[in-house]
């Protein structure tokens, strides 16, 4: 760059719009998007560690896509090249690739290629870029306002990590305005600008989450308002309203906003929410959506989701559509709103979907012959008997007669299932009674004629039965799925697994939060090594961060590892159970202390989800043996001795229940919701299991030790022999109770700690 180029660049930067001058230069200056660049998040760690892979930033205008790329350019040691897909072509791509190859060959330096508006590249241009991204010559960072899954080459998408940026919230926009007013070098810090509160509220509200829009409006307001006699520039509400008058709505008639908004509208109407339906309708009309398109969707909904629950629905909507064609806009909005409200408030039924069940049967089943009575008898009734036996319904009472209309192989098949909504409720009983009569007629009329034939196997039913029989499942997998179903995490969340152990919950967390972070706490070095060895197969930035610490030490260790970090989800399996077990030997290890510490680690709003096995409700061994194998007297003594194990007031490991768990949570400042679920799994009773039950215990008393408190050695031996004779190597259904706890900081505790 020569002297003239540098001078030209300095003038350009000085005369650039406020939005360009105020672009953040570091992550600390960046406002908003904490979901992807907040403390502990994957993208922030990748930028700080300069370990970026190919990325695509997707989001509406003014949310910081280009700014993040500029911040990466300021922090990375890699060579940074920026091009705009609107202006660039294959020639510019080749030049960038050549520069990247030179940097790698001469200086062993990586190259980051930033492509703004990457969706504007055509297929040939994207294909030209693909091999160089694939072999690592360049690290691609793309920015786009369009859904990359639709607008960007699938091969490029599959090799990139996609981060979705959301519109900024009000706090972020206010922070940006404040920065512009106080920055003396790039903003208006050297001017005496007085921005009224209501003017600021208007700018932030109408900007609609767009940082560029709020800065452009602020710039227009300041630059066009002369200072008063004291040199102060007064930005009043009137000035702000002139600077930004109409909210910019992101709405592309062929993009995500179009499809997402019409989807929200239809789902609101289907869900009978007239308020939401009117809101989404207003969003579409305000953005310029074609009302005829909306009417087409409403006509479809009248058939699909209302149907016979209100046969007039499709008539009303069609009449409204015709009225719209007559009056046009803007008055046409009245019939548009009327059709929407009618469908949103009427009864719903999707029984017409029975047609698609019939269509599926036609596609899958062998074509069945049309029954003789239903055939056309006008041409060959004499030769083939077509139409013979047909019963004319109008000749019978109520214009209906018990007659079969389905092919023989489909007799009894049900496609239409009337709902109990609206008008359809009136015909539900009628249809059911007619079907019963038809089935009775089928038995009476075909018992002799088909004595040598059998109905074909219902393959659909057979598959369903087989699927049901095979749903035994693994209990641990059920627990894992239940934990994540209680409070599904978002892709950018930070998750802490407080009792990772083998990693059952940890690996599922890694899959579910690819843009967030996962921290796994284990108590033993062996578990830590095992988790780290399994994680080695993952890219470094995707690996869970393993912390070896006792549960009581976990908050301190986590604060040392990532200062100031709070978790969106804290999960665990049998963390409290382990704490209770250790409470008898370790000072400060108790459930309330652990729950209090975990509550302090939660973000607002965060969720604590624990799955805790409750020994108090576990399977009893005496339930697996028939009473007569021991005799009533010994069996009753055995029952009493085993039940005493779980009623011992001095053993906290087995005597706690849901009420006590609720009290612990409340004492820790948490509001819990607890579901106790009995889970059954099939286990094999092996000699090793018998040995565990009937051998002296080490850390805790064994089953035999407990029984010896009430039974003699001879009685225990007799019980063991009876169990072995009855159950050895047998599969039994083993039930256990698991408390699924979902808790969050109570309102008062949240105010005090966050």
């Amino acid at each position: 760059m020569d002297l003239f180029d540098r001078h030209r660049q300095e003038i350009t930067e000085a005369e650039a719009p406020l939005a360009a001058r105020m672009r953040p230069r570091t992550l600390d200056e960046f406002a908003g998007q904490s979901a992807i660049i907040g403390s502990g998040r994957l993208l922030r760690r990748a930028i700080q560690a300069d370990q970026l892979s190919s990325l695509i930033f997707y989001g509406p205008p003014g949310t910081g896509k280009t700014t993040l790329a500029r911040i990466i350019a300021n922090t990375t040691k890699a060579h940074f090249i920026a091009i705009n897909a609107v202006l660039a072509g294959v020639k510019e791509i080749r030049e960038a690739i050549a520069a990247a190859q030179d940097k790698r060959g001469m200086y062993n330096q990586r190259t980051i290629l930033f492509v703004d508006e990457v969706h504007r590249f055509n297929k040939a241009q994207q294909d030209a870029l693909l091999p160089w991204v694939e072999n690592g010559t360049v690290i691609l960072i793309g920015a786009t306002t369009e859904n990359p899954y639709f607008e960007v080459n699938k091969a490029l998408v599959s090799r990139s990590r996609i981060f979705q940026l959301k519109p900024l919230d009000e706090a972020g926009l206010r922070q940006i305005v404040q920065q512009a007013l106080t920055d003396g070098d790039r903003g208006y810090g050297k001017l005496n600008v007085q921005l009224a509160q209501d003017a600021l509220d208007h700018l932030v509200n109408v900007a609609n989450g767009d940082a560029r829009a709020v800065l452009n409006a602020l710039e227009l307001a300041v630059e066009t308002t002369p200072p008063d006699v004291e040199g102060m520039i007064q930005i009043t509400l009137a000035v702000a309203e002139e600077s930004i008058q109409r909210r910019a709505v992101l709405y592309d008639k062929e993009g995500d906003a179009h499809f997402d908004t019409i989807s929200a509208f239809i789902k609101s109407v289907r869900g009978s929410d007239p308020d939401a339906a009117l809101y989404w309708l207003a969003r579409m009309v305000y953005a310029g959506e074609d009302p005829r398109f909306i009417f087409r969707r409403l006509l479809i909904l009248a058939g699909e989701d209302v149907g016979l629950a209100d046969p007039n629905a499709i008539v009303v909507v069609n009449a409204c559509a015709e009225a719209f064609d007559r009056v046009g806009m803007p008055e046409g909005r009245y019939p548009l709103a009327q059709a929407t409200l009618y469908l949103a408030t009427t009864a719903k039924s999707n029984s017409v979907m029975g047609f698609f069940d019939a269509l599926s049967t036609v596609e899958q089943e062998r074509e069945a012959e049309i029954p003789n009575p239903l055939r056309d008898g006008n041409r060959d009734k004499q030769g083939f008997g077509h139409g013979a036996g047909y019963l004319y319904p109008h000749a019978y009472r109520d214009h209906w007669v018990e007659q079969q209309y389905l092919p023989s192989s489909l007799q009894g098949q049900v496609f239409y299932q009337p709902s109990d909504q609206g008008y359809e409720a009136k015909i539900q009983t009628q249809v059911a009674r007619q079907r019963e009569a038809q089935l009775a007629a089928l038995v009476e009329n075909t018992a002799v004629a088909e004595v040598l034939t059998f109905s074909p196997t219902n393959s659909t039913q057979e598959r369903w039965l087989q699927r049901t029989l095979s749903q035994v499942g693994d209990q641990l997998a059920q627990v894992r799925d239940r934990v994540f179903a209680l409070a599904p995490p978002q892709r950018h969340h930070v998750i802490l697994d407080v009792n990772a152990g083998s990693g059952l919950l940890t690996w599922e967390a890694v899959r579910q939060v690819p843009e967030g972070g996962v921290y796994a706490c284990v108590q033993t070095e062996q578990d830590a090594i095992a988790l780290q060895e399994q994680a080695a197969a993952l890219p470094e930035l995707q690996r869970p961060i393993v912390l070896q610490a006792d549960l009581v030490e976990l908050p301190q260790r986590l604060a040392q590892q990532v200062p100031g970090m709070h978790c969106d989800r804290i999960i665990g399996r049998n963390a409290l159970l382990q704490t209770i077990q250790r409470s008898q030997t370790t000072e400060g290890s108790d459930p309330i202390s652990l729950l209090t510490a975990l509550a302090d680690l939660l973000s607002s709003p965060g969720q604590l989800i624990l799955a805790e096995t409750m020994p108090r409700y576990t399977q009893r061994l005496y339930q697996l043996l028939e009473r007569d194998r021991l005799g009533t007297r010994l069996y009753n003594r055995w029952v009493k001795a085993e039940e005493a194990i779980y009623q011992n007031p001095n053993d906290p490991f087995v005597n706690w229940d849901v009420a006590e768990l609720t009290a612990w949570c409340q004492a820790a400042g948490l509001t819990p919701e607890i579901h106790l679920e009995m889970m059954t799994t099939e286990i094999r009773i092996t000699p090793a299991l018998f040995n565990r039950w009937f051998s002296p215990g080490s850390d805790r008393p064994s089953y035999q030790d407990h029984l010896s408190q009430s039974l003699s050695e001879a009685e225990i031996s007799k019980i063991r022999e009876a169990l072995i004779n009855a159950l050895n190597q047998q599969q039994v259904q083993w039930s256990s109770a698991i408390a699924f706890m979902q808790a969050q900081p109570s309102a008062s505790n949240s105010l005090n700690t966050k």
Side-chain angles (χ1 to χ4, degrees), residues 495-738:
I495 296 181
L496 169 63
D497 183 355
V498 295
N499 192 23
S502 63
L504 175 75
L505 302 181
T506 301
W507 301 123
E508 181 64 21
V510 169
R511 285 190 289 270
Q512 297 211 18
V513 292
E515 281 87 49
V518 177
Y519 296 79
C521 175
V522 294
Q523 279 70 57
T524 67
E525 183 180 2
Q526 182 179 0
D527 286 341
I529 293 173
L531 280 183
Q532 288 165 347
E533 287 179 349
Q534 293 176 64
L538 297 172
E540 185 174 353
L541 288 172
Q542 296 179 23
R543 299 172 190 170
I545 297 173
V546 180
L547 304 172
Q548 182 188 342
D550 194 274
L551 288 177
V552 295
E553 303 170 351
L554 176 58
Q556 181 181 356
R557 287 292 307 278
L558 196 60
Q560 294 171 352
Q561 188 86 11
V562 189
M565 188 193 76
H566 287 85
C567 303
D568 301 291
R569 297 286 185 272
I570 298 179
I571 59 176
R573 184 172 64 90
N574 289 339
L576 292 176
L577 191 67
Q578 186 177 90
T579 302
I580 294 169
Q581 188 173 4
R582 292 176 61 87
S583 64
Q584 300 174 354
T585 59
T586 305
E587 185 177 352
S589 178
D590 64 90
I592 296 178
S593 298
L594 175 62
L595 290 170
T596 302
L598 295 181
D600 291 337
L601 291 174
L602 281 174
S603 65
S604 180
Q607 297 275 350
L608 170 63
I609 306 102
L610 299 179
E612 298 291 334
T613 303
M614 286 197 165
R616 183 170 190 166
Y617 304 108
T618 193
Q619 174 74 48
R620 307 305 199 239
L621 282 186
Y622 68 77
Q623 295 171 337
L624 301 177
L625 195 66
E626 297 176 0
R627 183 183 296 267
D628 57 7
R629 285 182 175 268
L630 283 176
T632 301
R633 181 177 176 278
L634 178 54
Y635 188 88
N636 289 341
R637 284 172 52 77
W638 180 25
V639 170
K640 185 177 180 181
E642 186 168 357
E643 289 296 340
I645 300 174
Y646 304 100
Q647 305 298 328
N648 183 0
N650 299 318
D651 189 352
F653 186 74
V654 296
N655 62 21
W656 59 290
D657 57 15
V658 171
E660 195 158 6
L661 178 55
T662 302
W664 292 340
C665 289
Q666 293 171 345
L670 293 166
T671 302
E673 184 176 340
I674 302 170
H675 302 278
L676 185 66
E677 298 185 9
M678 298 301 300
M679 303 190 75
T680 303
T681 188
E682 208 170 55
I683 68 169
R684 182 178 294 277
I685 306 297
T686 62
L689 202 51
F690 283 120
N691 289 335
R692 283 174 50 197
W693 290 335
F694 292 96
S695 297
S698 52
D699 296 338
R700 281 185 52 80
S702 67
Y703 181 71
Q704 174 181 285
D705 294 337
H706 282 293
L707 293 186
S708 65
Q709 302 295 318
S710 306
L711 302 177
S712 67
E713 186 175 337
E715 289 174 321
I716 295 174
S717 178
K718 191 172 182 180
I719 290 171
R720 173 175 178 164
E721 289 177 6
L723 284 171
I724 291 175
N725 291 335
L727 302 177
N728 190 34
Q729 298 297 349
Q730 297 296 311
Q731 295 280 118
V732 301
Q733 295 294 320
W734 189 272
S735 63
S736 57
I738 298 179

Side-chain angles (χ1 to χ4, degrees), residues 33 109 154 158 300 303 323 327 396 456 463 474 562 607 720:
Q33 308 302 341
Q109 184 181 22
K154 291 182 179 179
S158 69
I300 294 169
V327 302
Y396 295 85
R463 286 195 299 270
D474 179 79
V562 189
Q607 297 275 350
R720 173 175 178 164

Side-chain angles (χ1 to χ4, degrees), residues 400-419:
W400 183 84
V401 62
E402 297 89 341
Q403 184 171 223
Q404 291 300 317
Y405 297 97
L406 280 169
S408 298
S409 62
L410 295 176
Q411 296 294 346
Q413 178 72 53
V414 173
F415 296 116
Y416 172 55
Q417 300 188 30
S419 74

Side-chain angles (χ1 to χ4, degrees), residues 265 276-286 294 333 336-337 340:
F265 171 68
L278 287 179
Y279 170 78
W280 295 115
L281 176 64
R283 278 270 292 257
M284 291 188 290
V285 171
Y286 181 84
I294 301 174
R333 291 178 292 186
L336 185 60
T340 298

